[in-house]
Amino acid sequence: LQIIKGDYFKNLSENNRIRIQEIPAPRGIIYDREALPLVDSFPSFDVSLFRQDVPDLQALIPALSRALSMDSEKLRARLDGGRGTSPFQPLKLKTDITRQELAMMETRRLDMPGIMVDAVIRRNYPYGNLASHLFGYLGEINQEELEREEYLNHKIGYLVGKFGIEQKFELDLMGENGGRQIEVNALGRKVRVLENLEPNPGNNLFLTLDLELQKTVEGAMAGKNGAVVVMDPQSGDILALASKPDFDPNLFARGISPENWKSLTANPDNPLQNRATQGQYPPGSVFKIVDVTAGLEEKVIAPETTFHCSGVLQFGNREYHCWKKEGHGRIGLRQAIVESCDVYFYQLGVPLGVDRIAKYALAMGLGRTTGFPLGQEKAGLIPTSAWKMKRFGVPWQAGETLSTAIGQSYNLTTPLQIAATLSAMVNGGKYYQPRIVRS
């Protein structure tokens, strides 16, 4: 016993006597630009089982099922699922138990050997759905993530950021876990704490977001589908960003149920999509700013150039209408921008041509990603004659330029792109990469 299997029995003895209990580090708090907390954490309790301390696992199931309000079959499946792991490692049975379940576990602790109740820190989103596409959500780490270099300090069962700020700044927010050595007796009951190592909380993040403005924007969007981006043109700071429909990140922080996950993923309105960065839409009349820039730079028009708008423009065998049926009459450049006269921009678009319009659209930041720090953004599309030939195998038609000039046709942009491009226009020409984290 001592010579041939001494190391084996020594290891078995140590593991019977001492339990290593991990103490998770609280994730960093997320604040708005005025240091108001947007995302924090709260204390919670999980129940784990040390299987080698349980003399009769099957006899334990009925008592556990009652105490944890868990179906016996579900509990048995959880136990069966942990067979491949080391018997010295705790097997998580249930997370975020209720106060009633906690009281039941504590009062029946002597009847349930090998059971340990751990105090853990759970993520909390006090404003529910507010800015959910920015904050993102947590989920249990998967095998693929465990194999990545940045997750070397993570283990099975850890909750990690899966989307948004929670994912992008995972390594900043996660902190460093602590732990304690607990001496237990032969029945797996705690005798004393031998050593304690306190966890180091994660770093806090201070965002560019303005909480009150975010509330106002989301209130205006209630019951609608779409997106709003509010950007400071002098810095690129995102002051508010909303995408509707949205979701409640708290569903994920507590371990999302299959039913809730299905309701999100099966929803045809796709509430998990961030429409502000991933939604690609025709930009519409804001695109006319691109036409003006191109027209002035290429000297197709001068600031004093006027066109006549009768409400309709005949081009080829088609009529192209203005939004104002009776027309604007003789109209100059400034007034054409103010009143968004379609006919003015039809007549500007034709001599410019699609390729010169595209040249300036691309130079002004459309048709490419903005460099948004959270990533997960689409590039949109600015059409050219070469693009159409490659895509459809047919040449560009002159009439298509008219639709392009008023932001329709094949044009696709994201709300974030438009905010960044127009910010550069109003600040004198500096294109800022959108910023969401200040420090």
Side-chain angles (χ1 to χ4, degrees):
L1 290 180
Q2 290 182 347
I3 296 171
I4 298 174
K5 283 197 167 185
D7 289 339
Y8 169 80
F9 283 112
K10 181 182 178 185
N11 181 58
L12 193 64
S13 174
E14 289 294 329
N15 280 289
N16 278 339
R17 190 173 64 86
I18 298 172
R19 296 283 170 268
I20 305 299
Q21 186 180 30
E22 194 166 60
I23 308 174
R27 286 177 78 83
I29 299 172
I30 301 176
Y31 296 94
D32 87 335
R33 64 189 302 111
E34 302 296 334
L36 298 171
L38 300 170
V39 180
D40 54 23
S41 301
F42 71 97
S44 175
F45 297 92
D46 292 351
V47 176
S48 300
L49 171 72
F50 287 92
R51 282 171 298 148
Q52 82 277 16
D53 291 335
V54 184
D56 187 348
L57 199 56
Q58 293 305 313
L60 182 62
I61 289 176
L64 263 179
S65 175
R66 287 192 297 273
L68 293 177
S69 305
M70 244 177 125
D71 179 73
S72 296
E73 290 307 312
K74 185 177 179 181
L75 186 58
R76 191 172 278 107
R78 180 65 60 92
L79 293 171
D80 290 341
R83 287 188 188 278
T85 59
S86 167
F88 302 123
Q89 291 297 319
L91 176 65
K92 193 85 74 176
L93 297 180
K94 191 172 183 179
T95 61
D96 195 24
I97 62 174
T98 66
R99 294 285 169 174
Q100 290 81 0
E101 289 165 350
L102 174 64
M104 182 70 76
M105 295 302 299
E106 291 298 326
T107 53
R108 303 204 60 185
R109 183 185 288 271
L110 295 178
D111 302 327
M112 294 186 287
I115 292 295
M116 184 171 287
V117 178
D118 301 316
V120 296
I121 304 297
R122 295 255 179 253
R123 207 56 162 156
N124 181 43
Y125 303 86
Y127 297 102
N129 294 32
L130 188 90
S132 56
H133 293 91
L134 276 177
F135 301 145
Y137 55 84
L138 303 180
E140 190 167 327
I141 193 167
N142 58 40
Q143 192 58 44
E144 181 185 339
E145 289 166 329
L146 281 169
E147 292 170 3
R148 281 160 38 188
E149 188 176 350
E150 61 265 36
Y151 291 123
L152 286 178
N153 294 325
H154 291 64
K155 298 177 184 176
I156 290 175
Y158 278 21
L159 290 177
V160 298
K162 295 283 188 177
F163 186 70
I165 289 171
E166 296 280 27
Q167 180 187 41
K168 181 67 177 179
F169 295 92
E170 167 67 22
L171 300 185
D172 294 290
L173 290 165
M174 66 173 278
E176 189 177 345
N177 289 347
R180 61 172 64 96
Q181 279 189 331
I182 301 172
E183 185 177 1
V184 296
N185 61 19
L187 294 176
R189 295 167 186 154
K190 185 169 76 173
V191 177
R192 58 179 174 144
V193 175
L194 299 175
E195 192 173 348
N196 208 51
L197 179 64
E198 292 300 321
N200 290 321
N203 290 312
N204 298 328
L205 292 183
F206 292 84
L207 306 186
T208 61
L209 215 63
D210 184 301
L211 174 59
E212 292 307 314
L213 184 58
Q214 183 73 25
K215 287 179 178 178
T216 301
V217 163
E218 300 222 9
M221 288 291 290
K224 300 180 176 73
N225 284 5
V228 175
V229 178
V230 183
M231 177 187 281
D232 182 346
Q234 304 304 327
S235 63
D237 284 0
I238 300 296
L239 304 178
L241 187 149
S243 176
K244 298 290 183 178
D246 48 23
F247 59 92
D248 185 357
N250 287 306
L251 294 174
F252 295 88
R254 290 157 176 80
I256 190 165
S257 68
E259 295 76 23
N260 285 331
W261 176 249
K262 186 177 180 181
S263 72
L264 289 172
T265 55
N267 188 329
D269 288 331
N270 199 1
L272 293 177
Q273 182 194 39
N274 186 349
R275 282 167 161 74
T277 62
Q278 298 172 313
Q280 300 178 100
Y281 312 102
S285 290
V286 290
F287 191 78
K288 294 169 182 174
I289 297 293
V290 175
D291 303 330
V292 171
T293 306
L296 292 172
E297 287 290 322
E298 296 288 328
K299 298 188 169 43
V300 172
I301 56 169
E304 62 273 10
T305 298
T306 63
F307 291 113
H308 181 74
C309 170
S310 64
V312 64
L313 177 70
Q314 184 74 36
F315 188 84
N317 59 358
R318 276 195 60 187
E319 290 184 342
Y320 292 82
H321 293 269
C322 186
W323 67 267
K324 190 174 183 180
K325 288 184 179 180
E326 63 274 23
H328 291 90
R330 179 61 58 176
I331 188 167
L333 175 58
R334 184 181 184 281
Q335 202 60 25
I337 296 172
V338 171
E339 298 197 27
S340 192
C341 172
D342 292 326
V343 168
Y344 188 101
F345 291 97
Y346 292 149
Q347 296 179 83
L348 171 56
V350 170
L352 268 174
V354 65
D355 290 330
R356 282 201 287 186
I357 292 174
K359 171 186 169 183
Y360 286 89
L362 293 165
M364 293 164 69
L366 302 177
R368 60 180 169 86
T369 55
T370 66
F372 187 54
L374 302 186
Q376 296 167 329
E377 63 171 324
K378 297 289 180 66
L381 172 64
I382 298 300
T384 64
S385 56
W387 168 84
K388 188 186 177 191
M389 179 58 75
K390 183 178 179 181
R391 176 70 175 80
F392 297 105
V394 293
W396 187 269
Q397 302 299 310
E400 293 175 305
T401 305
L402 278 73
S403 298
T404 301
I406 61 166
Q408 302 295 332
S409 183
Y410 299 106
N411 280 318
L412 291 174
T413 57
T414 68
L416 183 63
Q417 283 177 329
I418 294 296
T421 294
L422 295 188
S423 290
M425 291 297 299
V426 302
N427 71 21
K430 284 188 177 179
Y431 185 93
Y432 285 104
Q433 178 177 306
R435 187 170 71 142
I436 190 63
V437 174
R438 299 181 79 182
S439 60

